[in-house]
Amino acid sequence: MTPAQLKELGDHVLGQLPMETTACALAGDELVLWAKPEAIVRVLTVLRDDAKCLFKMLVDICGVDYPERPERFEVVYNLLSLKHNQRIRVKLRANEDTPVPSATAVFRSAGWYEREVWDLYGVYFSDHPDLRRILTDYGFDGHPLRKDFPLTGLVELRYDNEQKRVVYDKVKLSQEFRSFDFLSPWEGMIHLPGDEKAGKA
């Protein structure tokens, strides 16, 4: 699509959803629509059913973490219209405490994607039929794709053959730390090999 056609589509969507959206912009060759979190179900429904849109395929839902922002997460919905051969990206901002309405009533495929976002970022989706962890263990602590998630120093997961189950242990380094004395071999030697010969001459 040309930029003019994308702008026309963006103006049409903003005209259909004046209270539910906050902005629409072109980013590269793609149309990006910003939605209010509480109105995401209405926005997705209009984008799916409007005759000029017909974005009937939810391609993906993903998250982005900006820890320095008050609403640190962005939830991104990527939609595809096979009828018009168009794509649109819908974004909303969320924080750790305020739930985002689930899109499973509009797109059934949203269930797995929202479980991934919940598991990896900790964004809670209200009215989700089965919001459980999907990529980490049931007792896993934390959300691994948050930028402040610690990379080392906690626990590791292993299968214990005696207990016949998965157990958590403190992280053990397989290699000991090396002790460096920062003394070069040249500085540590008081007498170099061959000095005894030099003294005799």
Side-chain angles (χ1 to χ4, degrees):
M1 290 188 76
T2 65
Q5 291 172 319
L6 288 174
K7 185 177 183 322
E8 181 182 341
L9 177 63
D11 292 340
H12 173 73
V13 172
L14 287 177
Q16 296 290 316
L17 301 163
M19 304 301 291
E20 293 86 358
T21 55
T22 56
C24 189
L26 292 177
D29 294 333
E30 297 180 355
L31 186 64
V32 179
L33 178 71
W34 286 91
K36 295 178 181 175
E38 64 274 10
I40 188 62
V41 173
R42 166 91 175 124
V43 170
L44 293 176
T45 302
V46 169
L47 290 175
R48 182 192 64 186
D49 298 338
D50 185 86
K52 289 189 175 180
C53 299
L54 296 177
F55 292 101
K56 294 197 177 281
M57 183 180 289
L58 175 67
V59 177
D60 189 15
I61 300 175
C62 50
V64 185
D65 186 13
Y66 297 97
E68 68 279 1
R69 294 182 184 172
E71 294 175 318
R72 66 183 284 182
F73 301 111
E74 285 183 3
V75 181
V76 183
Y77 302 79
N78 293 307
L79 302 175
L80 171 66
S81 171
L82 293 173
K83 175 77 176 177
H84 300 297
N85 192 21
Q86 297 171 339
R87 294 178 185 269
I88 191 169
R89 178 169 294 153
V90 181
K91 292 184 177 184
L92 60 87
R93 290 191 173 146
N95 59 30
E96 299 166 340
D97 303 322
T98 308
V100 175
S102 174
T104 52
V106 186
F107 296 103
R108 294 184 63 185
S109 61
W112 288 92
Y113 299 135
E114 289 176 348
R115 286 178 66 179
E116 283 183 2
V117 174
W118 158 248
D119 190 5
L120 299 178
Y121 289 96
V123 176
Y124 185 79
F125 292 90
S126 61
D127 300 327
H128 191 285
D130 187 17
L131 194 62
R132 288 181 292 153
R133 288 191 179 270
I134 189 171
L135 296 173
T136 57
D137 194 26
Y138 293 113
F140 192 84
D141 189 21
H143 304 281
L145 286 187
R146 287 188 179 184
K147 290 189 177 173
D148 53 0
F149 186 79
L151 298 179
T152 61
L154 297 177
V155 293
E156 63 183 352
L157 187 70
R158 68 174 178 85
Y159 181 78
D160 190 318
N161 204 23
E162 294 176 4
Q163 299 181 36
K164 302 293 182 197
R165 65 182 184 95
V166 175
V167 296
Y168 287 94
D169 281 338
K170 284 191 166 185
V171 172
K172 296 175 188 169
L173 297 175
S174 57
Q175 179 182 3
E176 294 293 327
F177 288 111
R178 292 181 62 189
S179 176
F180 295 98
D181 58 4
F182 300 105
L183 188 62
S184 131
W186 299 108
E187 295 170 351
M189 293 181 134
I190 299 173
H191 302 286
L192 294 175
D195 281 352
E196 66 277 358
K197 296 178 187 174
K200 292 181 183 175

